[in-house]
């Protein structure tokens, strides 16, 4: 393990991506926002949204006071917009119960809306520097391959994987935080699921999976990826995109509009977009424009009903739609 850590830490020092929420450049709240945005979303897509979001709402209190329409509009095309609503629910609890300071214990964090085991552990490790194992898909894959010599099959983490993550975690808190980030980064950039770059992996000389001939490479026990075209998810996305387009710069997506915002650290990145807040009152999408979004009106109405149930839209008496206020 000493040799593995030495090689991995040297690789991390030379190859870690310079993400704006890393290396102590943001608050614990900023780290939490980055983790919520990164769920089921590629990191490269998250960066401009995070910069815009933190430039608009740098802390929990600021987000708590925003309108739902502003929050959903700024979330833009990150996908799974219920994450945005849960993040605002979390902000309201942090602002009210904890006086705008993100709690520093695991039990308090997992009690917050939308915060589970992974997010709580990531915040404590990455933002607080505490010694705690962080277990995500990338970390599980790297540890399983390198140390157990077998493929990680996805699904929920099992007891063996959790015990392994705890057992190999460095005893010193600063080293444990670096370890968590470095293993995760290696899984994201090198030890990928289907096409690992074993020739450039710093752990290749000690990888049991590689030594065994990479048995079962790419096998999964999770469900195969579902098609997107024609699904309710696509229809819901079209509805929300139309509503967001009415709220930001005459129809321009929030993550692509404007110029340079100030981030939570006071830095103005050259490529960071600026999101203008939604107008008040919130504009409505007339019923005829709603019906023009999708030809199958039975499916369209079902998706409208589900969005309303999720709290993502409001249905007006005349059948028009708007983002919640």
């Amino acid at each position: 393990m000493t040799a593995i850590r030495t090689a991995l830490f040297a690789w991390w020092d030379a190859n870690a991506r310079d993400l704006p929420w890393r290396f102590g450049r943001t608050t614990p709240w900023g780290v939490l926002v980055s983790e919520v945005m990164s769920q089921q979303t590629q990191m490269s897509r998250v960066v401009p949204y995070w910069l815009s979001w933190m430039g608009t709402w740098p802390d929990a209190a600021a987000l708590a006071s925003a309108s739902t329409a502003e929050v959903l509009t700024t979330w833009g095309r990150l996908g799974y917009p219920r994450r945005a609503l849960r993040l605002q629910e979390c902000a309201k609890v942090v602002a009210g119960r904890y006086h705008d300071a993100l709690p520093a214990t695991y039990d308090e964090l997992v009690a917050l809306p939308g915060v589970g085991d992974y997010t709580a552990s990531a915040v404590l490790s990455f933002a607080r520097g505490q010694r705690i194992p962080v277990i995500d898909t990338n970390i599980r894959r790297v540890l399983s391959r390198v140390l157990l010599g077998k493929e990680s099959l996805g699904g929920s983490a099992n007891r063996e994987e959790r015990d392994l993550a705890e057992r190999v975690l460095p005893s010193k808190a600063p080293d444990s935080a670096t370890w968590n980030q470095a293993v995760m980064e290696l899984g994201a950039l090198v030890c990928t699921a289907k096409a690992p770059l074993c020739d450039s992996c710093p752990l290749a000389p000690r990888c049991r999976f590689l030594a065994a001939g990479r048995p079962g490479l790419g096998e999964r026990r999770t469900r195969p990826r579902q098609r997107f075209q024609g699904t309710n998810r696509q229809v819901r996305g079209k509805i929300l995109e139309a509503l967001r387009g009415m709220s930001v710069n005459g129809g321009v997506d929030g993550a692509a509009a404007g110029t340079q915002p100030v981030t939570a650290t006071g830095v103005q990145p050259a490529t960071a977009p600026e999101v203008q807040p939604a107008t008040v009152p919130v504009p409505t999408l007339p019923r005829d424009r709603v019906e023009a979004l999708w030809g199958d009106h039975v499916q369209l109405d079902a998706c409208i009903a589900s969005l309303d149930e999720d709290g993502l839209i409001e249905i007006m008496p005349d059948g028009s739609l708007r983002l919640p206020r």
Side-chain angles (χ1 to χ4, degrees):
M1 286 306 305
T2 298
I4 287 175
R5 288 171 187 158
T6 299
L8 182 63
F9 285 7
W11 177 87
W12 165 260
D13 288 341
N15 296 278
R17 287 173 291 181
D18 189 22
L19 301 175
W21 50 83
R22 283 180 172 171
F23 311 119
R25 290 181 295 175
T26 189
T27 61
W29 174 255
V31 172
L32 184 143
V33 171
S34 75
E35 293 298 338
V36 173
M37 287 185 168
S38 300
Q39 295 168 7
Q40 298 177 299
T41 306
Q42 293 180 341
M43 201 74 74
S44 59
R45 292 189 60 219
V46 170
V47 171
Y49 285 94
W50 186 90
L51 290 169
S52 296
W53 188 280
M54 295 300 294
T56 305
W57 303 303
D59 53 31
L63 178 59
S65 64
S67 71
T68 305
E70 288 177 300
V71 170
L72 291 174
T73 298
T74 307
W75 191 260
R77 296 181 180 177
L78 269 177
Y80 304 99
R82 276 177 289 185
R83 289 183 294 169
L85 300 186
R86 295 292 279 170
L87 186 56
Q88 188 177 39
E89 291 176 27
C90 177
K92 291 177 179 178
V93 174
V94 172
R97 184 180 304 169
Y98 296 102
H99 308 289
D100 205 27
L102 196 66
T105 69
Y106 177 87
D107 289 342
E108 288 175 310
L109 285 170
V110 294
L112 295 173
V115 176
D117 170 74
Y118 166 77
T119 302
S121 300
V123 169
L124 292 177
S125 179
F126 305 156
R128 304 287 190 187
Q130 296 185 22
R131 185 186 182 277
I132 184 172
V134 178
I135 303 174
D136 82 331
T137 302
N138 287 322
I139 288 179
R140 291 166 57 197
R141 182 169 59 252
V142 172
L143 296 184
S144 181
R145 286 175 174 176
V146 174
L147 301 176
L148 302 180
K150 60 183 182 181
E151 185 67 288
S152 175
L153 300 180
S156 300
N158 58 40
R159 174 51 55 188
E160 180 185 34
E161 291 171 324
R162 291 186 176 277
D163 289 345
L164 177 63
E166 175 64 42
R167 190 166 64 251
V168 302
L169 193 66
S171 58
K172 295 181 180 179
D175 288 344
S176 72
T178 302
W179 168 264
N180 285 329
Q181 293 185 92
V183 176
M184 187 181 299
E185 192 81 336
L186 189 74
L189 301 181
V190 177
C191 192
T192 56
K194 295 182 179 180
L197 306 176
C198 298
D199 291 342
S200 58
C201 179
L203 305 186
R206 294 176 174 83
C207 179
R208 294 181 176 180
F209 185 67
L210 180 60
R214 308 197 300 184
L217 175 64
E219 287 185 5
R220 309 288 289 176
R221 64 165 169 256
T222 53
R223 291 177 298 177
R225 180 176 295 179
Q226 296 179 339
R227 64 183 178 87
F228 177 72
Q229 294 297 322
T231 62
N232 286 355
R233 184 183 169 199
Q234 182 186 20
V235 180
R236 284 165 57 102
K238 283 182 172 292
I239 296 168
L240 288 175
E241 183 177 0
L243 291 172
R244 288 194 305 265
M246 299 182 66
S247 300
V248 178
N249 291 342
V252 179
D253 178 30
T259 54
Q260 301 172 347
V262 178
T263 70
T265 58
V267 178
Q268 284 192 323
T271 59
E274 180 181 18
V275 173
Q276 300 297 328
T279 58
V280 178
V282 180
T284 61
L285 187 66
R287 182 64 194 183
D288 60 336
R289 290 182 58 186
V290 174
E291 293 180 350
L293 294 173
W294 196 253
D296 185 342
H297 289 177
V298 174
Q299 184 181 18
L300 179 68
D301 287 341
C303 292
I304 290 172
S306 69
L307 288 169
D308 178 52
E309 183 177 353
D310 290 340
L312 296 171
I313 65 171
E314 291 181 354
I315 304 174
M316 308 306 294
D318 62 357
S320 61
L321 307 178
R322 72 181 182 189
L323 295 174
R325 288 178 292 184

